[in-house]
Coordinates of all heavy atoms in Angstrom, one line a residue:
M1 N -23.0 -37.1 -9.5 CA -23.9 -36.0 -9.3 C -23.0 -34.8 -9.7 O -21.9 -34.4 -9.4 CB -24.1 -35.9 -7.8 CG -24.8 -34.6 -7.5 SD -24.9 -34.3 -5.6 CE -26.3 -35.3 -5.1
K2 N -23.6 -33.9 -10.5 CA -23.0 -32.7 -11.1 C -23.6 -31.5 -10.4 O -24.7 -31.5 -10.1 CB -23.3 -32.5 -12.6 CG -22.6 -33.5 -13.3 CD -22.7 -33.3 -14.8 CE -22.0 -34.3 -15.8 NZ -22.3 -34.0 -17.2
I3 N -22.8 -30.7 -10.0 CA -23.2 -29.4 -9.3 C -23.3 -28.3 -10.4 O -22.3 -28.1 -11.2 CB -22.1 -29.1 -8.3 CG1 -21.9 -30.0 -7.2 CG2 -22.5 -27.8 -7.6 CD1 -20.9 -29.8 -6.2
K4 N -24.3 -27.6 -10.4 CA -24.6 -26.6 -11.4 C -24.3 -25.3 -10.7 O -25.0 -24.9 -9.9 CB -26.0 -26.7 -11.9 CG -26.2 -25.7 -13.1 CD -27.5 -26.0 -13.8 CE -27.6 -25.0 -15.0 NZ -28.9 -25.1 -15.6
L5 N -23.3 -24.7 -11.3 CA -23.1 -23.3 -10.8 C -23.7 -22.3 -11.5 O -24.0 -22.4 -12.8 CB -21.5 -22.9 -10.9 CG -20.6 -23.9 -10.2 CD1 -19.2 -23.7 -10.4 CD2 -20.8 -23.8 -8.7
P6 N -24.2 -21.2 -10.9 CA -24.8 -20.1 -11.7 C -23.9 -19.4 -12.6 O -22.6 -19.2 -12.4 CB -25.3 -19.1 -10.6 CG -24.4 -19.4 -9.4 CD -24.0 -20.8 -9.5
S7 N -24.5 -19.2 -13.9 CA -23.6 -18.5 -14.9 C -23.4 -17.0 -14.6 O -24.3 -16.5 -14.2 CB -24.2 -18.7 -16.3 OG -25.5 -18.1 -16.3
P8 N -22.2 -16.5 -14.7 CA -22.0 -15.1 -14.3 C -22.6 -14.3 -15.5 O -22.5 -14.6 -16.7 CB -20.5 -15.0 -14.5 CG -20.0 -16.1 -15.2 CD -21.0 -17.2 -15.0
Q9 N -23.3 -13.3 -15.1 CA -24.0 -12.3 -15.9 C -23.2 -11.0 -15.9 O -22.5 -10.8 -14.9 CB -25.4 -12.2 -15.6 CG -26.2 -13.5 -15.8 CD -27.5 -13.4 -15.3 OE1 -28.1 -12.4 -14.9 NE2 -28.4 -14.5 -15.6
E10 N -23.6 -10.1 -16.8 CA -22.9 -8.9 -16.9 C -23.2 -8.1 -15.8 O -22.2 -7.3 -15.3 CB -23.4 -8.1 -18.2 CG -22.3 -7.4 -18.9 CD -22.8 -6.9 -20.3 OE1 -23.0 -7.7 -21.1 OE2 -22.9 -5.6 -20.3
G11 N -24.3 -8.1 -15.1 CA -24.5 -7.3 -14.0 C -24.0 -7.7 -12.6 O -24.2 -7.2 -11.6
D12 N -23.3 -9.0 -12.6 CA -23.0 -9.6 -11.3 C -21.8 -8.9 -10.7 O -21.5 -9.0 -9.5 CB -22.7 -11.0 -11.5 CG -24.0 -11.9 -11.7 OD1 -25.1 -11.3 -11.5 OD2 -23.9 -13.0 -12.1
I13 N -20.9 -8.2 -11.6 CA -19.7 -7.7 -11.0 C -20.0 -6.4 -10.3 O -20.6 -5.5 -10.8 CB -18.7 -7.4 -12.2 CG1 -18.4 -8.7 -12.9 CG2 -17.5 -6.7 -11.8 CD1 -17.6 -8.6 -14.1
K14 N -19.5 -6.3 -9.1 CA -19.8 -5.1 -8.3 C -18.4 -4.4 -7.9 O -17.5 -5.0 -7.6 CB -20.5 -5.5 -6.9 CG -21.9 -6.2 -7.2 CD -22.5 -6.6 -5.9 CE -23.8 -7.3 -6.1 NZ -24.4 -7.8 -4.9
K15 N -18.5 -3.1 -7.9 CA -17.3 -2.4 -7.7 C -17.2 -2.2 -6.1 O -18.2 -2.1 -5.4 CB -17.4 -1.0 -8.3 CG -17.2 -1.0 -9.7 CD -17.0 0.4 -10.3 CE -16.9 0.4 -11.8 NZ -16.5 1.6 -12.4
V16 N -15.9 -2.3 -5.7 CA -15.7 -2.3 -4.3 C -15.3 -0.8 -4.0 O -14.3 -0.3 -4.8 CB -14.5 -3.3 -4.0 CG1 -14.2 -3.1 -2.4 CG2 -15.1 -4.7 -4.1
K17 N -15.6 -0.2 -3.0 CA -15.2 1.2 -2.7 C -13.8 1.1 -2.1 O -13.4 0.1 -1.6 CB -16.1 1.7 -1.6 CG -17.5 1.9 -2.1 CD -18.4 2.6 -1.1 CE -19.8 2.7 -1.5 NZ -20.7 3.3 -0.6
E18 N -13.2 2.2 -2.2 CA -11.8 2.3 -1.7 C -11.7 2.0 -0.1 O -10.7 1.5 0.3 CB -11.2 3.8 -2.0 CG -9.8 4.0 -1.5 CD -8.7 3.6 -2.6 OE1 -9.1 3.4 -3.7 OE2 -7.7 3.3 -2.0
S19 N -12.7 2.4 0.6 CA -12.7 2.2 2.0 C -12.8 0.8 2.4 O -12.6 0.5 3.5 CB -13.7 3.2 2.6 OG -15.0 2.8 2.1
Q20 N -13.3 0.0 1.5 CA -13.6 -1.4 1.7 C -12.3 -2.4 1.4 O -12.3 -3.5 1.8 CB -14.8 -1.9 1.0 CG -16.2 -1.3 1.5 CD -17.3 -1.7 0.5 OE1 -17.2 -2.1 -0.4 NE2 -18.5 -1.7 1.2
R21 N -11.3 -1.7 0.7 CA -10.1 -2.5 0.4 C -9.1 -2.6 1.5 O -9.2 -1.9 2.4 CB -9.5 -1.9 -0.8 CG -10.4 -1.8 -2.1 CD -9.5 -1.2 -3.2 NE -10.5 -1.2 -4.4 CZ -10.2 -0.4 -5.4 NH1 -9.1 0.3 -5.4 NH2 -11.1 -0.4 -6.4
A22 N -8.5 -3.8 1.4 CA -7.5 -4.0 2.5 C -6.4 -3.0 2.5 O -5.9 -2.6 3.5 CB -7.0 -5.4 2.4
F23 N -5.9 -2.7 1.3 CA -4.8 -1.6 1.2 C -5.3 -0.5 0.4 O -6.1 -0.6 -0.6 CB -3.6 -2.3 0.4 CG -2.9 -3.3 1.1 CD1 -2.7 -4.7 0.5 CD2 -2.5 -3.2 2.5 CE1 -2.0 -5.6 1.2 CE2 -1.8 -4.2 3.2 CZ -1.7 -5.4 2.6
G24 N -4.9 0.7 0.8 CA -5.3 1.8 0.0 C -4.1 2.3 -0.9 O -3.0 1.6 -1.1
R25 N -4.2 3.4 -1.6 CA -3.3 3.9 -2.6 C -2.0 4.2 -1.7 O -1.0 3.8 -2.3 CB -3.9 5.1 -3.3 CG -2.9 5.7 -4.3 CD -3.6 6.8 -5.1 NE -2.7 7.0 -6.2 CZ -2.4 8.2 -6.5 NH1 -2.7 9.2 -5.8 NH2 -1.6 8.5 -7.6
N26 N -2.1 4.8 -0.7 CA -0.9 5.1 0.1 C 0.0 3.8 0.4 O 1.2 3.8 0.5 CB -1.1 5.8 1.3 CG -1.5 7.3 1.0 OD1 -1.3 7.8 -0.1 ND2 -2.3 7.8 2.0
N27 N -0.7 2.7 0.7 CA 0.0 1.4 1.1 C 0.8 1.0 -0.2 O 2.0 0.5 -0.1 CB -1.1 0.3 1.4 CG -1.7 0.7 2.8 OD1 -2.7 1.2 2.7 ND2 -1.1 0.1 3.8
Y28 N 0.2 1.0 -1.4 CA 0.9 0.5 -2.5 C 2.0 1.4 -2.8 O 3.2 0.9 -3.4 CB -0.2 0.4 -3.7 CG -1.1 -0.7 -3.4 CD1 -2.6 -0.5 -3.3 CD2 -0.8 -2.0 -3.5 CE1 -3.4 -1.4 -3.2 CE2 -1.6 -3.0 -3.3 CZ -2.9 -2.7 -3.3 OH -3.8 -3.9 -3.1
I29 N 1.9 2.8 -2.8 CA 3.0 3.5 -3.0 C 4.1 3.3 -2.2 O 5.3 3.2 -2.5 CB 2.5 5.0 -2.9 CG1 1.5 5.4 -4.1 CG2 3.7 6.0 -3.0 CD1 0.9 6.6 -4.1
A30 N 3.8 3.3 -0.7 CA 4.9 2.9 0.2 C 5.5 1.5 0.0 O 6.8 1.4 0.1 CB 4.3 3.0 1.7
M31 N 4.8 0.5 -0.4 CA 5.3 -0.8 -0.7 C 6.3 -0.7 -1.8 O 7.3 -1.4 -1.9 CB 4.3 -1.8 -0.7 CG 3.6 -2.2 0.6 SD 2.5 -3.6 0.5 CE 1.0 -2.9 -0.2
A32 N 5.9 0.0 -2.9 CA 6.6 0.1 -4.1 C 8.0 0.8 -3.8 O 9.2 0.4 -4.2 CB 6.0 0.9 -5.1
C33 N 8.0 1.8 -2.9 CA 9.2 2.5 -2.5 C 10.1 1.5 -1.8 O 11.3 1.6 -1.9 CB 8.9 3.8 -1.7 SG 8.1 5.0 -2.7
C34 N 9.5 0.8 -0.8 CA 10.2 -0.2 -0.1 C 10.9 -1.2 -0.9 O 12.0 -1.6 -0.6 CB 9.5 -0.7 1.1 SG 8.9 0.4 2.3
L35 N 10.2 -1.6 -1.9 CA 10.7 -2.8 -2.8 C 11.9 -2.3 -3.6 O 12.8 -2.9 -3.7 CB 9.5 -3.2 -3.7 CG 9.9 -4.3 -4.8 CD1 10.3 -5.6 -4.0 CD2 8.9 -4.5 -5.7
A36 N 11.8 -0.9 -3.9 CA 12.9 -0.3 -4.7 C 14.1 -0.1 -3.8 O 15.2 -0.5 -4.2 CB 12.5 1.1 -5.2
L37 N 13.8 0.2 -2.6 CA 14.9 0.2 -1.6 C 15.6 -1.1 -1.3 O 16.8 -1.3 -1.3 CB 14.4 0.7 -0.2 CG 15.3 1.4 0.8 CD1 16.0 2.6 0.1 CD2 14.5 1.8 2.0
I38 N 14.8 -2.2 -1.4 CA 15.4 -3.5 -1.2 C 16.3 -3.9 -2.4 O 17.3 -4.5 -2.2 CB 14.2 -4.6 -0.9 CG1 13.7 -4.3 0.4 CG2 14.7 -6.0 -1.1 CD1 12.3 -5.0 0.6
V39 N 15.6 -3.6 -3.6 CA 16.5 -3.9 -4.8 C 17.8 -3.2 -4.8 O 18.9 -3.6 -5.2 CB 15.6 -3.6 -6.0 CG1 16.5 -3.7 -7.3 CG2 14.6 -4.6 -6.1
I40 N 17.8 -1.8 -4.5 CA 19.0 -1.0 -4.3 C 20.0 -1.7 -3.4 O 21.1 -1.6 -3.7 CB 18.7 0.5 -4.0 CG1 17.9 1.1 -5.3 CG2 19.8 1.2 -3.7 CD1 17.3 2.5 -4.8
G41 N 19.5 -2.0 -2.2 CA 20.4 -2.7 -1.3 C 21.2 -4.0 -1.8 O 22.3 -4.1 -1.6
F42 N 20.3 -4.7 -2.5 CA 20.9 -5.9 -3.1 C 21.9 -5.6 -4.3 O 23.0 -6.3 -4.4 CB 19.8 -6.9 -3.7 CG 19.3 -7.9 -2.6 CD1 18.0 -7.7 -2.1 CD2 20.1 -8.9 -2.1 CE1 17.5 -8.5 -1.1 CE2 19.6 -9.7 -1.1 CZ 18.4 -9.5 -0.7
L43 N 21.7 -4.5 -5.0 CA 22.5 -4.1 -6.1 C 23.8 -3.5 -5.5 O 24.8 -3.6 -6.0 CB 22.0 -3.1 -6.9 CG 20.8 -3.5 -7.9 CD1 20.1 -2.5 -8.5 CD2 21.3 -4.6 -8.9
L44 N 23.7 -2.8 -4.2 CA 24.9 -2.4 -3.5 C 25.8 -3.5 -3.0 O 27.0 -3.4 -3.0 CB 24.5 -1.5 -2.4 CG 24.0 -0.1 -2.8 CD1 23.4 0.5 -1.5 CD2 25.1 0.7 -3.3
M45 N 25.2 -4.6 -2.7 CA 26.0 -5.8 -2.3 C 26.7 -6.6 -3.4 O 27.5 -7.4 -3.1 CB 25.1 -6.8 -1.4 CG 24.8 -6.2 -0.1 SD 23.9 -7.3 0.9 CE 22.2 -7.3 0.3
A46 N 26.2 -6.4 -4.6 CA 26.6 -7.3 -5.8 C 28.0 -6.8 -6.2 O 28.5 -5.7 -5.9 CB 25.6 -7.1 -6.9
G47 N 28.7 -7.6 -6.9 CA 30.0 -7.3 -7.4 C 30.8 -8.6 -7.8 O 30.2 -9.6 -7.7
P48 N 32.0 -8.4 -8.3 CA 32.6 -9.6 -8.6 C 33.1 -10.4 -7.5 O 33.1 -10.0 -6.4 CB 34.0 -8.9 -9.4 CG 34.1 -7.5 -8.8 CD 32.7 -7.1 -8.5
G49 N 33.4 -11.6 -7.7 CA 33.8 -12.6 -6.8 C 35.2 -12.3 -6.2 O 35.9 -11.4 -6.6
S50 N 35.6 -13.1 -5.1 CA 36.9 -12.8 -4.5 C 38.1 -13.5 -5.3 O 39.2 -13.0 -5.2 CB 36.8 -13.4 -3.1 OG 36.8 -14.8 -3.1
S51 N 37.8 -14.6 -6.1 CA 39.0 -15.1 -6.8 C 39.0 -14.6 -8.2 O 38.1 -14.7 -9.0 CB 38.7 -16.6 -6.8 OG 37.5 -17.0 -7.4
V52 N 40.1 -14.0 -8.5 CA 40.4 -13.3 -9.7 C 41.6 -14.2 -10.3 O 42.4 -14.6 -9.5 CB 40.6 -11.8 -9.7 CG1 40.3 -11.1 -10.9 CG2 39.9 -11.2 -8.5
E53 N 41.8 -13.9 -11.5 CA 43.0 -14.6 -12.1 C 44.3 -13.9 -11.6 O 45.3 -14.8 -11.3 CB 42.9 -14.4 -13.6 CG 41.8 -15.2 -14.4 CD 41.9 -15.0 -15.8 OE1 42.9 -14.6 -16.4 OE2 40.9 -15.3 -16.4
G54 N 44.3 -12.7 -11.3 CA 45.5 -12.1 -10.8 C 45.8 -12.4 -9.4 O 46.7 -12.0 -8.8
G55 N 44.8 -12.9 -8.7 CA 45.1 -13.1 -7.2 C 43.8 -12.6 -6.4 O 42.6 -12.7 -6.9
F56 N 44.0 -12.3 -5.1 CA 43.0 -12.0 -4.3 C 42.4 -10.6 -4.6 O 43.1 -9.7 -4.8 CB 43.4 -11.9 -2.8 CG 42.5 -11.8 -1.8 CD1 41.5 -12.5 -1.5 CD2 42.5 -10.5 -1.1 CE1 40.4 -12.3 -0.5 CE2 41.5 -10.1 -0.2 CZ 40.6 -11.0 0.2
N57 N 41.1 -10.5 -4.6 CA 40.5 -9.2 -4.8 C 39.9 -8.7 -3.4 O 38.9 -9.1 -2.9 CB 39.2 -9.3 -5.8 CG 38.6 -8.0 -6.1 OD1 38.9 -7.1 -5.6 ND2 37.5 -8.1 -6.9
P58 N 40.5 -7.6 -2.9 CA 40.0 -7.1 -1.6 C 38.8 -6.2 -1.7 O 38.3 -5.9 -0.6 CB 41.4 -6.2 -1.2 CG 41.9 -5.8 -2.4 CD 41.7 -6.9 -3.4
D59 N 38.3 -6.2 -2.8 CA 36.9 -5.4 -3.0 C 35.8 -6.0 -2.2 O 34.8 -5.4 -1.9 CB 36.6 -5.1 -4.5 CG 35.5 -4.1 -4.7 OD1 35.5 -3.1 -4.0 OD2 34.7 -4.4 -5.5
I60 N 35.9 -7.3 -2.1 CA 34.8 -8.1 -1.3 C 34.6 -7.6 0.0 O 33.5 -7.7 0.7 CB 34.8 -9.5 -1.4 CG1 36.1 -10.0 -0.6 CG2 34.9 -10.0 -2.8 CD1 36.1 -11.6 -0.2
F61 N 35.6 -6.9 0.7 CA 35.4 -6.3 2.1 C 35.3 -4.9 2.2 O 35.4 -4.2 3.1 CB 36.7 -6.7 2.9 CG 36.9 -8.1 3.0 CD1 38.0 -8.8 2.4 CD2 36.0 -8.9 3.7 CE1 38.3 -10.1 2.5 CE2 36.3 -10.3 3.8 CZ 37.3 -10.9 3.3
S62 N 34.8 -4.3 0.9 CA 34.5 -2.8 0.9 C 33.3 -2.5 1.7 O 32.4 -3.3 2.1 CB 34.2 -2.4 -0.5 OG 33.1 -2.9 -1.0
T63 N 33.3 -1.3 2.3 CA 32.2 -0.9 3.2 C 30.9 -0.8 2.5 O 29.8 -1.2 3.0 CB 32.6 0.6 3.7 OG1 33.8 0.7 4.2 CG2 31.5 1.1 4.7
R64 N 30.7 -0.6 1.2 CA 29.7 -0.6 0.5 C 29.0 -2.0 0.5 O 27.8 -2.1 0.6 CB 29.9 -0.1 -1.0 CG 28.7 -0.2 -1.9 CD 29.1 0.2 -3.3 NE 30.0 -0.7 -4.0 CZ 29.7 -1.9 -4.7 NH1 28.5 -2.2 -4.9 NH2 30.7 -2.6 -5.1
R65 N 29.7 -3.0 0.3 CA 29.3 -4.4 0.2 C 29.0 -4.9 1.5 O 28.1 -5.9 1.6 CB 30.3 -5.2 -0.6 CG 30.4 -4.9 -2.0 CD 31.4 -5.7 -2.9 NE 30.8 -6.9 -3.1 CZ 31.4 -7.9 -3.9 NH1 32.6 -7.5 -4.3 NH2 30.9 -9.0 -4.1
I66 N 29.6 -4.6 2.6 CA 29.4 -5.4 3.9 C 28.7 -4.5 4.9 O 28.2 -5.1 5.8 CB 30.6 -5.9 4.5 CG1 31.7 -4.9 4.8 CG2 31.3 -6.9 3.5 CD1 32.9 -5.3 5.7
V67 N 28.5 -3.2 4.6 CA 27.8 -2.3 5.6 C 26.5 -1.7 4.9 O 25.4 -1.8 5.5 CB 28.8 -1.2 6.3 CG1 28.0 -0.3 7.2 CG2 30.0 -2.1 7.0
V68 N 26.9 -1.0 4.0 CA 25.8 -0.1 3.3 C 24.8 -0.9 2.6 O 23.5 -0.7 3.0 CB 26.4 1.0 2.3 CG1 25.5 1.7 1.8 CG2 27.5 1.7 3.0
G69 N 25.2 -1.8 1.8 CA 24.1 -2.7 1.1 C 23.1 -3.4 2.1 O 22.0 -3.3 2.1
P70 N 23.7 -4.2 3.1 CA 22.8 -4.9 4.1 C 22.0 -3.8 4.7 O 20.8 -4.2 5.2 CB 23.8 -5.6 5.0 CG 25.0 -5.9 4.1 CD 25.1 -4.6 3.3
A71 N 22.6 -2.8 5.2 CA 21.8 -1.8 6.0 C 20.6 -1.2 5.3 O 19.4 -1.1 5.7 CB 22.7 -0.7 6.5
V72 N 20.8 -0.9 3.9 CA 19.8 -0.4 3.1 C 18.7 -1.5 2.8 O 17.5 -1.2 2.9 CB 20.3 0.0 1.7 CG1 19.2 0.4 0.7 CG2 21.2 1.3 1.9
T73 N 19.1 -2.7 2.6 CA 18.2 -3.8 2.4 C 17.4 -4.0 3.7 O 16.2 -4.3 3.7 CB 19.0 -5.1 2.0 OG1 19.7 -4.9 0.9 CG2 18.0 -6.3 1.8
F74 N 18.1 -4.0 4.9 CA 17.3 -4.3 6.1 C 16.4 -3.1 6.3 O 15.2 -3.3 6.8 CB 18.3 -4.2 7.2 CG 17.6 -4.5 8.7 CD1 17.0 -5.6 9.0 CD2 17.5 -3.3 9.5 CE1 16.4 -5.7 10.2 CE2 16.9 -3.5 10.8 CZ 16.3 -4.7 11.1
L75 N 16.7 -1.9 6.0 CA 15.7 -0.7 6.3 C 14.6 -0.9 5.2 O 13.5 -0.5 5.7 CB 16.5 0.5 5.9 CG 15.8 1.8 6.1 CD1 15.5 2.0 7.6 CD2 16.6 3.0 5.5
G76 N 14.8 -1.3 4.0 CA 13.7 -1.6 3.1 C 12.7 -2.8 3.7 O 11.6 -2.5 3.6
F77 N 13.3 -3.7 4.3 CA 12.3 -4.8 4.8 C 11.5 -4.2 6.1 O 10.4 -4.5 6.3 CB 13.2 -6.0 5.2 CG 13.5 -6.9 4.0 CD1 14.7 -7.2 3.6 CD2 12.5 -7.5 3.3 CE1 15.1 -8.0 2.5 CE2 12.7 -8.4 2.2 CZ 14.0 -8.7 1.9
L78 N 12.3 -3.5 6.8 CA 11.7 -2.9 8.1 C 10.5 -1.9 7.7 O 9.5 -1.9 8.2 CB 12.7 -2.2 8.9 CG 12.3 -1.6 10.2 CD1 12.0 -2.8 11.2 CD2 13.4 -0.8 10.9
L79 N 10.9 -1.0 6.7 CA 9.8 -0.1 6.3 C 8.6 -0.7 5.5 O 7.5 -0.2 5.6 CB 10.4 1.0 5.4 CG 11.4 1.9 6.2 CD1 12.1 2.9 5.2 CD2 10.7 2.6 7.3
M80 N 8.9 -1.9 4.8 CA 7.8 -2.7 4.3 C 6.8 -3.1 5.3 O 5.6 -3.0 5.0 CB 8.5 -4.0 3.6 CG 7.4 -4.7 2.8 SD 6.7 -3.9 1.4 CE 8.0 -4.1 0.2
A81 N 7.2 -3.5 6.5 CA 6.3 -3.9 7.5 C 5.3 -2.7 7.8 O 4.1 -2.8 8.1 CB 7.0 -4.4 8.8
F82 N 6.0 -1.5 7.9 CA 5.2 -0.3 8.2 C 4.3 0.1 7.1 O 3.2 0.6 7.3 CB 6.1 0.8 8.7 CG 6.7 0.6 10.0 CD1 8.1 0.3 10.1 CD2 5.9 0.7 11.2 CE1 8.7 0.2 11.4 CE2 6.5 0.6 12.4 CZ 7.9 0.3 12.6
A83 N 4.8 -0.2 5.9 CA 4.0 0.2 4.7 C 2.7 -0.7 4.7 O 1.6 -0.2 4.2 CB 4.8 0.0 3.5
I84 N 2.9 -1.9 5.0 CA 1.6 -2.8 5.1 C 0.7 -2.3 6.3 O -0.5 -2.5 6.2 CB 2.1 -4.3 5.4 CG1 2.8 -4.6 4.1 CG2 1.0 -5.3 5.6 CD1 3.6 -6.1 4.2
L85 N 1.2 -1.9 7.4 CA 0.4 -1.5 8.5 C -0.2 -0.2 8.4 O -1.1 0.2 9.3 CB 1.2 -1.6 9.9 CG 1.7 -3.0 10.2 CD1 2.5 -2.9 11.4 CD2 0.5 -4.0 10.3
I86 N 0.1 0.5 7.4 CA -0.5 1.9 7.4 C -2.1 1.8 7.1 O -2.6 1.0 6.3 CB -0.1 2.7 6.1 CG1 1.4 3.0 6.2 CG2 -0.8 4.0 5.9 CD1 2.1 3.6 5.1
T87 N -2.8 2.6 7.9 CA -4.3 2.4 7.8 C -4.8 3.6 7.0 O -4.4 4.8 7.2 CB -5.0 2.4 9.2 OG1 -4.5 3.5 10.0 CG2 -4.6 1.1 9.9
P88 N -5.7 3.3 6.0 CA -6.2 4.4 5.3 C -7.1 5.3 6.1 O -7.7 4.8 7.0 CB -7.0 3.8 4.2 CG -7.2 2.3 4.6 CD -6.1 2.1 5.7
K89 N -7.1 6.6 5.7 CA -7.9 7.5 6.5 C -9.4 7.2 6.2 O -9.8 7.0 5.1 CB -7.6 9.0 6.1 CG -6.2 9.4 6.5 CD -5.8 10.7 6.1 CE -4.5 11.2 6.5 NZ -4.2 12.6 6.1
K90 N -10.2 7.4 7.3 CA -11.7 7.3 7.2 C -12.2 8.5 6.7 O -11.8 9.5 7.2 CB -12.3 6.8 8.4 CG -11.7 5.4 9.0 CD -12.2 4.3 8.3 CE -11.8 3.1 9.0 NZ -12.2 1.9 8.6
D91 N -13.3 8.4 5.8 CA -14.0 9.7 5.3 C -14.9 10.2 6.4 O -15.5 9.6 7.0 CB -14.6 9.4 4.0 CG -13.7 9.2 2.9 OD1 -12.6 9.7 3.1 OD2 -14.0 8.6 1.8

């Protein structure tokens, strides 16, 4: 038994109004900013490893890598939740 689906025609595509969408423009802007904050946090945590040819590298315990980077990343994830929950203004 074959199921025949209606063929899409040119007039079948309907535009959705901004007020009917799940996310508004402000949501996408806020989520993009939070994503950038998360990437910046991971870049702050990046760096060379602890084993170097010359011996121990104490740079792995720098404040930037163990405090600032994770704090910026956590802030990005936290603000991402608020960016998703922003409700668009009703007209």
Side-chain angles (χ1 to χ4, degrees):
M1 174 191 276
K2 291 185 178 180
I3 299 174
K4 187 173 182 180
L5 298 173
S7 61
Q9 296 178 358
E10 216 172 291
D12 287 349
I13 299 173
K14 297 178 182 174
K15 291 191 176 187
V16 179
K17 294 180 183 177
E18 180 82 22
S19 61
Q20 294 175 335
R21 295 182 182 165
F23 295 126
R25 184 170 189 233
N26 291 337
N27 292 90
Y28 288 116
I29 292 171
M31 285 190 282
C33 292
C34 292
L35 182 65
L37 201 62
I38 293 168
V39 169
I40 289 170
F42 275 107
L43 289 175
L44 287 172
M45 287 187 278
S50 66
S51 60
V52 204
E53 290 180 20
F56 180 71
N57 185 3
D59 189 43
I60 63 167
F61 298 113
S62 68
T63 305
R64 175 185 60 92
R65 290 177 78 175
I66 63 172
V67 176
V68 178
V72 169
T73 305
F74 179 72
L75 185 66
F77 281 117
L78 186 67
L79 291 177
M80 182 68 81
F82 289 110
I84 291 171
L85 294 176
I86 293 173
T87 54
K89 294 180 181 178
K90 303 281 181 173
D91 290 338

